[in-house]
Amino acid sequence: MAHQATPVRTARLGKALGPEPTAVSGAVLLLPGGDEVSARRPSPVLATASVRALGRRLARAGQGEGLVTHVVHYRYRGWNGSEAHLAQDATWAADEVVRRYGDVAVCLVGVGMGGRAALHAAGHTAVNSVLALAPWLPEEDMAATPEPVKQLAGRRVLIVHGTNDERTDPELSFRLASRAKKANRDICRFEVHADGHGLHQYRSEVHALAEDFVMGSLFGRAFSRPVEDALAAPPPLGLRMPLAAGFGRSLRR
């Protein structure tokens, strides 16, 4: 009896969040979290829960600008060492945006392991900005190659991390940002004091910060003063910027 060939897994873009614009002029790709090692398929519902609320907010904010927002559905739940499956899928998704919508700017928005994928895939020519929320990064090992940062050159980058995150070490994202800042002044990092990995305690502030950064990066809207200051400040100041309680209630100067 002949064996059936194992079907090749493919990544895909979820249905656009919110009403899809008639003319697309920018795209957000939402990269959910994942595991360090897993060959299983992610659950479509559970895996995307961490990014859907933020995605809907961004879709509303950019509706008048021609923003389209998609969740990336990975082939595998795990990063899987040198395979870096999640980063590969993020790169594929940027290619898919270009295929569907043409030459539009892309912002990669990732959570946890998806934040690592966003940082890795930043070198894609369509990507102009990266937002990494509580990114999972490997422990630094003298024998291992450090996380790459060259691909971040020429991109605006925002990292947001809770100081009480017990799943992804905030100090590792600070160190990566410090290395990246040497070659790219357009990188900043906000610390959410006393918040954990899910950034639930200050969720409204984090989402307001994300909206401010994404709309400014993709469509040239003026950044709020805290984001401007964080981008302009020398390290470590602009990489340990505290996210103020109530951020977003009066964003503009």
Side-chain angles (χ1 to χ4, degrees):
M1 183 175 174
H3 290 289
Q4 284 189 324
T6 304
V8 177
R9 290 191 191 178
T10 55
R12 65 183 180 85
L13 295 187
K15 183 181 176 183
L17 298 177
E20 193 167 340
T22 50
V24 172
S25 56
V28 164
L29 291 174
L30 298 156
L31 300 163
D35 296 335
E36 193 172 353
V37 178
S38 176
R40 297 176 65 186
R41 267 194 185 280
S43 158
V45 177
L46 293 177
T48 62
S50 62
V51 294
R52 290 186 72 83
L54 175 57
R56 286 192 293 267
R57 175 171 180 148
L58 295 175
R60 286 194 303 271
Q63 192 174 347
E65 306 274 11
L67 177 67
V68 68
T69 304
H70 291 281
V71 178
V72 178
H73 294 269
Y74 306 129
R75 294 168 294 164
Y76 301 94
R77 188 179 297 180
W79 182 271
N80 301 325
S82 60
E83 293 290 340
H85 282 130
L86 275 56
Q88 285 186 28
D89 291 350
T91 299
W92 170 86
D95 281 337
E96 181 65 8
V97 164
V98 173
R99 188 188 71 78
R100 291 189 190 185
Y101 305 116
D103 185 18
V104 300
V106 174
C107 179
L108 300 176
V109 178
V111 174
M113 195 68 78
R116 186 187 187 192
L119 292 163
H120 270 248
H124 191 285
T125 54
V127 173
N128 88 336
S129 49
V130 173
L131 168 57
L133 300 170
W136 187 96
L137 297 168
E139 292 289 337
E140 294 173 344
D141 181 348
M142 296 298 288
T145 305
E147 285 288 281
V149 295
K150 286 183 179 179
Q151 76 283 2
L152 300 175
R155 277 73 177 156
R156 281 206 180 96
V157 181
L158 168 61
I159 296 172
V160 184
H161 222 138
T163 59
N164 286 2
D165 192 333
E166 295 181 352
R167 286 180 57 192
T168 61
D169 186 351
E171 196 59 26
L172 293 176
S173 74
F174 170 75
R175 291 177 200 162
L176 179 132
S178 297
R179 287 195 293 118
K181 187 79 172 178
K182 292 175 182 175
N184 177 15
R185 65 180 298 275
D186 285 332
I187 181 167
C188 62
R189 178 178 170 278
F190 277 73
E191 294 185 334
V192 190
H193 287 291
D195 216 341
H197 182 69
L199 298 169
H200 298 308
Q201 190 175 341
Y202 294 98
R203 176 170 149 163
S204 63
E205 287 90 343
V206 170
H207 284 193
L209 176 65
E211 178 185 328
D212 186 73
F213 175 78
V214 171
M215 295 303 117
S217 297
L218 287 180
F219 304 116
R221 290 189 193 175
F223 290 121
S224 63
R225 184 61 182 270
V227 173
E228 269 189 10
D229 289 349
L231 287 168
L237 295 177
L239 305 180
R240 292 199 185 276
M241 188 67 72
L243 181 60
F247 180 92
R249 291 179 196 154
S250 56
L251 272 179
R252 303 302 163 206
R253 285 172 281 187

